[in-house]
Amino acid sequence: MTQPAWSSSAIGAVALTDLLGHWSAADGPLYRLLATRIARLADTGELPAGLRLPAERDLAAALSVSRNTVAAAYQVLRDEGMAESRQGAGTRIVPHRTTAAAVHRANGFFAGLLSEAVVEADLSLAAVDCAPQVAAALTDPETLLDRAEREAVIRTDGYFPHGLPELRSAIASHLAERLGLPATSAQVIVTTGAQQALDLLIRTEVLPGQPVAVEDPTFPGVLDALHRAGAAVIGMPAGQGLDPERLEHVVRTHRPAMVYLIPTHHNPTGLVMPAGSRHRVARIAAAYPDTLFIDDMTLAELPLHDGSRIPPLAALAQDHPERPNVVSVGSLSKLYWGGLRTGWISGSEGLIARLVAAKAAADLGSTAFQQATVAALLRGPHEDIVKWRGEWLRARHDALTGALRASLPGWTWPEPDGGLCLWARLPGEADSSAFAQAALRHGVAVVPGRLLSAGSHANDHVRLAFTQPPDALRAAVRQLAAIPGPSR
Amino acid sequence: MTQPAWSSSAIGAVALTDLLGHWSAADGPLYRLLATRIARLADTGELPAGLRLPAERDLAAALSVSRNTVAAAYQVLRDEGMAESRQGAGTRIVPHRTTAAAVHRANGFFAGLLSEAVVEADLSLAAVDCAPQVAAALTDPETLLDRAEREAVIRTDGYFPHGLPELRSAIASHLAERLGLPATSAQVIVTTGAQQALDLLIRTEVLPGQPVAVEDPTFPGVLDALHRAGAAVIGMPAGQGLDPERLEHVVRTHRPAMVYLIPTHHNPTGLVMPAGSRHRVARIAAAYPDTLFIDDMTLAELPLHDGSRIPPLAALAQDHPERPNVVSVGSLSKLYWGGLRTGWISGSEGLIARLVAAKAAADLGSTAFQQATVAALLRGPHEDIVKWRGEWLRARHDALTGALRASLPGWTWPEPDGGLCLWARLPGEADSSAFAQAALRHGVAVVPGRLLSAGSHANDHVRLAFTQPPDALRAAVRQLAAIPGPSR
């Protein structure tokens, strides 16, 4: 099911850096923080017994610390019986309290989310606060749901692998009326966020070893799910937008099981794929019916500027109803609140039936009652929330870009059409992994480009989420600007 | 990832029967209902193009219908261009609107849950109605949560792959104080029901092809998750309780990656594993540290009789803290309501860390706000709910067993200690698959024993859930008693 990230019983400095996450964001000397975090990873089995740790010099470079810091951390591990060093064989984790079980592949992006360390300014997670209309509905559902609507949920057995019928229907109307994607309830499954939507699609439609093509950079959550499923991930350069020629070449050459795209407000670039390219992608999908094309619309309702809506890929594919291989995925996490964990997949009835069976085995359905509340939000104050979030978004975007232009004039980024992030290129020969480590010690978390790249490229980029309040963003940029080195 | 249930492009009569689910629970002639359901399965790709359908005679026997009914259904499929028949080659599904994608393994148990057919009396799903204390808390959270508790959730970004801290802590206290299982928050992960708990454990700890031992019969949800993961499932007879000798033999011989047990109010028998056997299992676990032992406690708080609590396996394993291979799983679905979808896993901190990383990739965490409500229910009216549900349970158990003794005196079952089901043996040479088909046409859904069996045994048993109101249970038994044949 999962493959160890190290095949030869050794872990590289960069892979270990990913596993370490926000290791330095705590009080105490760096060598002690580093030793504590490595010991913790050994305890959990993420660093299995016998594994060789990176050479001190390599790990020091990857972490942007002195070699003495790593040497002292390794010494602590030896003193505590967690590691041993032998001449010529390096430093290895000693068998101790690990369980004998499959290890999972390192994922440095989620390491931050899973860590309990607190950073002053987290620009690494593109998570929004809860919209006030949503908070009111959650704390007092009776304001939105009448007695009959509440009892329509409460009086059932509570198991809805397809999703609550009221929410499926509300999502289908939302897609048809607001997003330009005609859909019926039977073409919709409700998921626990877009992350589960992607995981279910991958588990159902991709076999281990099959190729899957993604934009590079892309949403790191899909990379984690693909790696766990054993897919062979193919990256297609997309830092300035995806070239459909390149896509056609990859599909023709590799015949991937799946192509995952974010055509509207791409994560992380924020760009919109132009109409011409979309039509081209729809034609490629029609020509390759054995490949499933995923249009991730999670950020579609987060435009930074007014403008006409560009139809989703699945709407263009409707000229080819006999080719149900274009699928849409979405979520309310970035518009309403991530804590809702409400996502959806829209596809052919056949695909939805297979996904529902997979969801039954995965969790028997998402939390039931809240689905009634979310359906009422979609039918009620949705447009107010879109308007409120739009203002929220533009204030934060303007604060971050203004501060960067003033304090870090060497940084460049494609001007985003929407979404929650900047995809910023550091000046000169900067190493964004090392820069991210240094930033963490200045209290600011950013995502080094490598973690959003299928091929661990993009090491001269960082992803900056502008989801913190404007003042926090300006303060974070001041901290980033104080970091010495080639990033200036 | 998943394997087709048919390797040779043919599907057996029993496998197709499982996929058909509640096909006959609708209005109209049987042949038309059968053809419609097969066509639907072809549409969804569950019956892929080219697949050979069973011989008419075999399918008729499996469905307990006349051969003419199957012949007429196949004719409808041919007339509608969904199937073709050739001399000597049988009847095959014709390529039409199916998508070219992986098919999933048939699971007849969930087919009922996924079907939209309505039966008069569903004795197949062991799902409870929503406890009134829980319904009140969901519709008006402010009665249980003060402003600070509400804002402690709403003011976060909403992503809790570990579970909301308040709920992890409430579950740890609940385990320690009520269920005899000392645990800290760091030893707990919150899941979307026990089904996700099992799926995460299997995805993280079992590789494709590895053996996993289960009681036979057992909870069908674990069988589905194991089959999808490609595990080699080994059944251990447990119709009258599991013999620890047999368990030790299986573990010694097969060295399974995982052993899944339901020691308290077993599903479906309702039996409690005696204290002596539990100590023996704990010793086996200590002797085989590479095997993970799962104690599913989902039904533990549903006793039918007063009596002293028997400690969970993990409590007995605490004499061996260096062997963290005994793991507990539970859920509030059967006590509070299935619609909460609140489950948990308790294990070593290392295992929990691996599971949290897997949950991040699966769905980034369960729905956030409701977790605060559930934590307040665990800390508040929990004992009232246990008492209320106990009375609810005994009334239903007594209604079902009384009606069976009066109307179907040839049926026998082990007297359950708790839980929601009877594991009833039909008299004589009865075929429970055929009986379940006949029952469906009398408006009553029951689970044929085969679907709860790792090896498709137990065809002389049915599982009867006593979760409907007492009068509905008595009416259902009257319907069952009206079915002609050897079941009397």
Side-chain angles (χ1 to χ4, degrees), chain B residues 363-386:
Chain B
D363 62 18
L364 283 174
S366 298
T367 300
F369 185 77
Q370 184 196 273
Q371 294 188 48
T373 307
V374 174
L377 287 166
L378 276 171
R379 293 213 154 103
H382 181 82
E383 295 297 351
D384 289 343
I385 300 172
V386 171

Side-chain angles (χ1 to χ4, degrees), chain A residues 5-20 38 41 46-48 50-55 58-59 74 91-93 104 106:
Chain A
W6 38 82
S7 49
S8 61
S9 255
I11 184 168
V14 172
L16 180 57
T17 301
D18 287 351
L19 276 177
L20 291 170
I38 292 176
L41 291 168
E46 287 166 287
L47 297 178
L51 184 78
R52 193 170 73 227
L53 295 173
D58 296 344
L59 185 57
Y74 283 9
T91 300
R92 290 184 181 272
I93 299 291
H104 69 267

Side-chain angles (χ1 to χ4, degrees), chain A residues 60-133:
Chain A
L63 297 176
S64 277
V65 298
S66 77
R67 185 171 165 181
N68 283 345
T69 298
V70 177
Y74 283 9
Q75 185 60 48
V76 169
L77 292 169
R78 282 191 294 269
D79 293 346
E80 293 181 353
M82 308 288 285
E84 60 178 17
S85 300
R86 285 191 199 147
Q87 195 65 34
T91 300
R92 290 184 181 272
I93 299 291
V94 166
H96 63 303
R97 286 161 295 161
T98 61
T99 58
V103 296
H104 69 267
R105 192 180 172 95
N107 186 298
F109 179 74
F110 286 136
L113 181 61
L114 303 181
S115 125
E116 279 152 39
V118 174
V119 293
E120 285 168 47
D122 193 344
L123 274 55
S124 69
L125 198 61
V128 304
D129 54 13
C130 188
Q133 300 89 339

